Amino acid sequence: MSADFKGMDVVSIRDFSREQIEHVLKLADKMVPIAKGDERSVLLEGHVLGSLFYEPSTRTRLSFDAAMTRLGGRVLGFDQPTGASVAKGETLADTIRMVSAYSDVIVLRHPQEGAARLAAHFSDKPIINAGDGAGQHPTQTMLDLFTIQKAKKDLEGINVVIVGDLKYGRTVHSLSEALAMFGAELTFVAPPTLQIPKEHLKQIESMGHKPRQSASLHEVIKDADVLYVTRIQKERFPDPAEYKKVAGTYRIDLELLKDVKKDLIIMHPLPRVGEISPEVDSTPHAKYFEQAFNGVPVRMALLSLVLGGHR
Ligand code: ASP
């Protein structure tokens, strides 16, 4: 299996088969003690990760850093383009050519959809997409699946309600397709202007699914096994007035959770900006902080696979 991964770009969740994703998740499970710092590893000693973040990030960047460092590797790069030659007008292609000469794998976050695919074209080292505009966020999806699997064991037939900004939310684009691949039932809840784009709906339907769509969370939350909450992606709206119309549409609080299933889990890729009331944090439903931690073992698994350090 490692031969399938070595040198592989991680651009879209569509690049992966179900078996490949399962392989990553299994390996991630073995990485947990190292991710927690309970065990030491030098698996990626001598390897360098180029970390290029053209957009803000907390969890994705730091968990990639933690993953590489915990496996004995090193990290170089930038966390905002203003300090790099990008500010002088350097193209993405040129920056990628350089960084691929300085490192063994590149993690890229960029505001433009398609940027990671373009970077893969110019890099002779593997590119890992850490979010390309409103496009995809495949490594987030793997840690989301890991989190769901830990709580629910089998994904087949579970009812996942995804709420918020389904139009611009890249985490949703990757996750919904992967969940369909794993046989989960999907319900999309969003204001009509922010519903899931046709392209993703078609892909999901082509796998034999008929997702439900609604604007009302109240209507569908009672049957949910997983509630995946997302932030309205303010930075992607061409018109701030349009953002204002939909900001604050959904808020998860104790009142809303009164009649939910006992073992409902609530997830969020974070950052949250008011979608989940802090009073929910101490309920057994809240899984978002555990989910954020899971970024470390999952990214360890991916890095070790694309660098050929693991079978
Ligand atoms: N952190 C996630 C992302 O980069 C979710 C978000 O920003 O709302 O896509």
Side-chain angles (χ1 to χ4, degrees):
M1 181 69 82
S2 85
D4 292 340
F5 283 95
K6 193 172 176 195
M8 182 180 178
D9 298 308
V10 180
V11 171
S12 162
I13 202 69
R14 291 185 196 175
D15 299 340
F16 290 84
S17 66
R18 179 172 172 164
E19 289 67 34
Q20 283 176 312
I21 295 174
E22 281 168 348
H23 187 67
V24 175
L25 303 188
K26 257 192 213 135
L27 183 55
D29 211 23
K30 293 191 191 142
M31 294 289 185
V32 169
I34 308 169
K36 285 186 173 162
D38 294 339
E39 282 176 23
R40 302 263 175 257
S41 170
V42 287
L43 187 70
L44 296 183
E45 193 171 31
H47 286 92
V48 176
L49 163 68
S51 171
L52 308 183
F53 279 75
Y54 289 73
E55 267 195 340
S57 170
T58 302
R59 277 148 295 273
T60 304
R61 189 175 65 79
L62 294 179
S63 64
F64 263 115
D65 278 19
M68 193 64 181
T69 313
R70 292 261 194 223
L71 290 176
R74 314 268 318 232
V75 183
L76 55 80
F78 52 78
D79 58 10
Q80 43 185 8
T82 46
S85 278
V86 182
K88 300 181 189 168
E90 184 165 73
T91 61
L92 177 64
D94 281 359
T95 304
I96 292 293
R97 280 188 184 105
M98 292 307 106
V99 179
S100 75
Y102 305 151
S103 58
D104 305 304
V105 56
I106 295 176
V107 170
L108 174 71
R109 168 166 293 184
H110 198 280
Q112 257 160 17
E113 209 171 318
R117 189 70 73 197
L118 182 83
H121 183 74
F122 289 101
S123 175
D124 47 18
K125 304 289 166 50
I127 294 285
I128 301 182
N129 183 4
D132 61 325
Q136 289 262 332
H137 198 343
T139 68
Q140 175 75 43
T141 291
M142 292 193 192
L143 74 91
D144 292 343
L145 294 175
F146 186 77
T147 307
I148 299 173
Q149 215 178 46
K150 286 250 165 250
K152 302 286 172 199
K153 310 285 176 270
D154 197 359
L155 274 62
E156 193 82 43
I158 60 164
N159 184 5
V160 183
V161 174
I162 306 183
V163 60
D165 185 346
L166 314 184
K167 178 180 180 188
Y168 296 117
R170 56 195 173 200
T171 65
V172 173
H173 299 162
S174 304
L175 180 64
S176 55
E177 294 189 12
L179 283 170
M181 205 194 302
F182 278 78
E185 302 293 335
L186 298 170
T187 303
F188 294 117
V189 179
T193 51
L194 295 182
Q195 258 299 350
I196 189 89
K198 282 211 174 67
E199 180 214 340
H200 297 288
L201 202 56
K202 265 196 196 150
Q203 178 75 8
I204 292 163
E205 285 171 350
S206 75
M207 291 184 253
H209 292 268
K210 280 256 162 288
R212 281 196 291 173
Q213 294 191 44
S214 172
S216 162
L217 189 52
H218 284 273
E219 252 172 35
V220 299
I221 196 168
K222 282 193 193 74
D223 304 325
D225 297 302
V226 178
L227 176 64
Y228 192 93
V229 189
T230 63
R231 175 180 68 92
I232 311 279
Q233 309 278 297
K234 185 179 183 186
E235 67 276 29
R236 310 264 178 247
F237 281 69
D239 178 357
E242 288 303 309
Y243 169 73
K244 281 215 180 104
K245 280 188 201 159
V246 287
T249 309
Y250 303 104
R251 184 169 169 85
I252 318 303
D253 56 18
L254 295 183
E255 176 63 26
L256 181 79
L257 298 177
K258 259 188 356 215
D259 297 322
V260 297
K261 285 190 182 175
K262 243 179 127 181
D263 58 354
L264 166 77
I265 61 165
I266 302 174
M267 299 171 65
H268 193 309
L270 303 177
R272 60 174 158 179
V273 288
E275 306 85 34
I276 303 180
S277 164
E279 65 197 20
V280 176
D281 298 358
S282 52
T283 70
H285 303 297
K287 278 279 179 271
Y288 27 92
F289 297 124
E290 185 182 320
Q291 180 187 359
F293 165 76
N294 288 340
V296 182
V298 168
R299 290 175 171 129
M300 282 175 149
L302 264 177
L303 286 171
S304 71
L305 286 165
V306 300
L307 288 169
H310 232 289
R311 281 166 202 284

